[in-house]
Amino acid sequence: MDATILHADLDAFYASVEQLLAPALRGKPIAVGGGVVLAASYEAKAFGVQSGMSGRNARQLCPQLIFVSGHFNEYQRLGDEAIQIVSDYTPLVERISIDEAFADVAGCTHLFGPPAEIARTIRRRVRTELGLPISVGVARTKHLAKIASQVAKPDGLVVVDPVSELDFLHDLPVGLMWGVGPVTQARLAEVEVRTIGQLAQMPGQSLERLLGSAAGEKLAALSWNRDPREIKTQRRARSAGAQAALGLEPAEQRIYRPALRHLADRIGTRLRARSLSGRTVSIRVRFANLRAVTRSVTFDTPIATTIVLAEIAEGLVRAVLAQYPRERKISLLAIQVSHLAKDESVQLDLPLGSSVMRGAADRAVDTIRERFGRESIGYGSVVLNSRGSVPDAFRELAEQELP
DNA sequence: TCTGGGGTCCTAGGACCC
DNA sequence: TCTGGGGTCCTAGGACCC
């Protein structure tokens, strides 16, 4: 089998877009965001600045760091255009996020040349047409292609020849593997496993004892480059959620009620726009000490109505707070809706009643927003504009396309 | 290094059914 | 009164990814 899987990944995407838009920022350490670093340029990463980090910490690591507020619409547009360039060569494209996609070019090499040639063309076009650096990995499997693009960064191309796959793979650190994060890495380090080759040498049983059966089995297979995953052009959303960091607020109804309504509103709008609804509603409450508790309920009938979602969530939050009476402050609230299903005939067979009225009210709000914008009507963002909050535009970028 | 917001998948225990 | 085994679903928590 040939190496026909490409993994294309825009480098330090948000930061690169900012440097593209403002040439004065090129070559300088910059961070998108303010209170929180949403993205960092390579120059900033060299100082240890990472996304997710608080702005204060980032500034400590890199005093000359330049903060810029994001051009979120540009991220969406340029991300779409980059993926479009990949799609010019094959319909088998699996978009992973705004700035990253897999592609299988097996069926189009007769038109465009060998995979490595296609990868070079994509990189050249993204550079000349969009002005952005993109790294590409080419290999026989998705996992290896993804690792290859990481190794290729920044602004590089790595092609893994099928005859030397294991030579390439086995010297690399385990942290490059899909599914190995800080916890797994630490557990492996305890048994002196640091490279993928060392992982491959571990007996399957001890690996499964260390990491659990699913993870152990998966990593064992990946370490020998056995990756059964195929390119999925369509993926089905399994949940939709929203969360808000509150800074630190009293655990009182006047705080959590409007916050939950706002979150329920965000989720409800997205679900209804796709005719989706979900049977399970989960909430998450994080206390002052960052300990988080989740509660969920599952119903026979699916839900997508804002006010129903909000009321269920509020009930769950109240139950949590009653269970932890000593926790007087909360730092985060979240709602998730899962067990999603497409609504075929939403209200048709429901008896007339309050839920129908509520659904109608939601659709009216949805319509008004389509016409006049999201801010024109709805639940105020009362508590949500406090310290830790992030622009709505950024949230929208993070949302997965619901099918 | 105490950190935002969007997700996916896995595990372990318990309820319940056959 | 004590006892099996398999399967499915739900819940709570956690690891991981971008």
Side-chain angles (χ1 to χ4, degrees):
Chain A
M1 210 163 100
D2 293 331
T4 61
I5 308 288
L6 272 59
H7 181 258
D9 196 349
L10 289 151
D11 299 325
F13 179 48
Y14 297 173
S16 296
V17 172
E18 297 302 331
Q19 290 175 325
L20 171 71
L21 298 176
L25 297 175
R26 293 178 196 173
K28 299 200 175 136
I30 70 165
V32 179
V36 178
V37 175
L38 302 176
S41 69
Y42 276 96
E43 295 83 0
K45 286 181 183 179
F47 289 86
V49 177
Q50 293 172 357
S51 59
M53 190 176 267
S54 75
R56 200 160 44 92
N57 283 332
R59 219 182 297 268
Q60 268 168 9
L61 289 169
C62 178
Q64 67 273 45
L65 186 63
I66 302 167
F67 283 89
V68 295
S69 53
H71 292 80
F72 298 96
N73 292 339
E74 290 298 293
Y75 305 160
Q76 189 69 60
R77 180 180 70 79
L78 288 161
D80 289 350
E81 286 184 21
I83 304 299
Q84 182 53 51
I85 288 178
V86 176
S87 305
D88 284 346
Y89 300 91
T90 170
L92 294 179
V93 174
E94 176 176 345
R95 189 169 185 176
I96 300 297
S97 67
I98 189 164
D99 58 357
E100 194 182 333
F102 288 105
D104 189 343
V105 297
C108 49
T109 49
H110 60 291
L111 287 173
F112 303 113
E117 184 62 36
I118 297 176
R120 275 190 288 273
T121 308
I122 289 171
R123 274 174 35 74
R124 191 184 323 118
R125 286 190 55 196
V126 171
R127 168 62 79 181
T128 58
E129 294 172 26
L130 307 182
L132 291 170
I134 186 168
S135 295
V136 179
V138 182
R140 201 174 46 82
T141 61
K142 285 169 80 173
H143 182 241
L144 202 54
K146 165 107 176 146
I147 289 183
S149 74
Q150 286 179 263
V151 172
K153 278 181 180 300
D155 200 14
L157 167 67
V158 166
V159 181
V160 184
D161 190 320
V163 300
S164 53
E165 285 174 346
L166 294 182
D167 293 335
F168 171 78
L169 196 57
H170 281 183
D171 287 336
L172 296 171
V174 285
L176 282 181
M177 296 181 81
W178 179 274
V180 177
V183 175
T184 303
Q185 210 169 333
R187 273 184 209 159
L188 289 170
E190 277 172 29
V191 294
E192 306 297 331
V193 169
R194 292 189 172 76
T195 67
I196 299 176
Q198 290 169 334
L199 178 74
Q201 292 305 323
M202 269 187 88
Q205 288 179 343
S206 32
L207 197 55
E208 289 184 29
R209 220 178 307 124
L210 192 67
L211 306 176
S213 64
E217 225 169 285
K218 198 178 74 179
L219 290 189
L222 292 180
S223 72
W224 290 103
N225 198 32
R226 288 193 295 266
D227 181 6
R229 294 176 303 165
E230 290 175 357
I231 303 285
K232 288 199 191 105
T233 53
Q234 301 265 29
R235 24 178 48 187
R236 184 164 249 87
R238 311 188 68 88
S239 68
Q243 66 179 53
L246 302 175
L248 213 49
E249 294 284 353
E252 294 168 12
Q253 192 183 60
R254 69 183 169 84
I255 300 296
Y256 61 72
R257 172 171 282 176
L260 290 171
R261 294 203 171 199
H262 183 79
L263 296 174
D265 182 30
R266 291 190 57 84
I267 302 167
T269 308
R270 293 166 56 202
L271 290 177
R272 294 190 300 272
R274 296 292 180 161
S275 302
L276 289 172
S277 55
R279 288 171 48 230
T280 301
V281 179
S282 312
I283 59 95
R284 183 177 175 79
V285 178
R286 196 179 68 187
F287 298 117
N289 59 9
L290 295 189
R291 196 174 112 76
V293 177
T294 63
R295 290 290 178 274
S296 66
V297 266
T298 300
F299 303 95
D300 291 336
T301 41
I303 291 158
T305 313
T306 293
I307 199 69
V308 174
L309 265 178
E311 282 171 4
I312 294 164
E314 193 180 328
L316 291 169
V317 167
R318 242 201 306 273
V320 166
L321 296 180
Q323 204 179 335
Y324 295 91
R326 300 165 59 127
E327 301 286 355
R328 314 302 295 271
K329 304 245 177 182
I330 49 180
S331 61
L332 175 138
L333 287 170
I335 306 178
Q336 290 280 329
V337 179
S338 53
H339 277 124
L340 297 186
K342 208 90 172 168
D343 298 326
E344 301 304 344
S345 55
V346 206
Q347 256 89 14
L348 290 185
D349 47 3
L350 283 180
L352 275 175
S354 59
S355 76
V356 173
M357 296 304 290
R358 288 162 166 175
D362 277 342
R363 283 195 298 281
V365 170
D366 293 344
T367 306
I368 291 168
R369 281 180 176 153
E370 276 165 31
R371 221 166 294 167
F372 304 109
R374 152 154 278 280
E375 300 308 325
S376 58
I377 184 171
Y379 308 96
S381 49
V382 204
V383 254
L384 299 182
N385 44 22
S386 55
R387 186 182 59 85
S389 184
V390 138
D392 265 7
F394 176 75
R395 295 165 173 267
E396 282 164 27
L397 283 190
E399 288 168 9
Q400 305 261 330
E401 200 71 15
L402 296 172

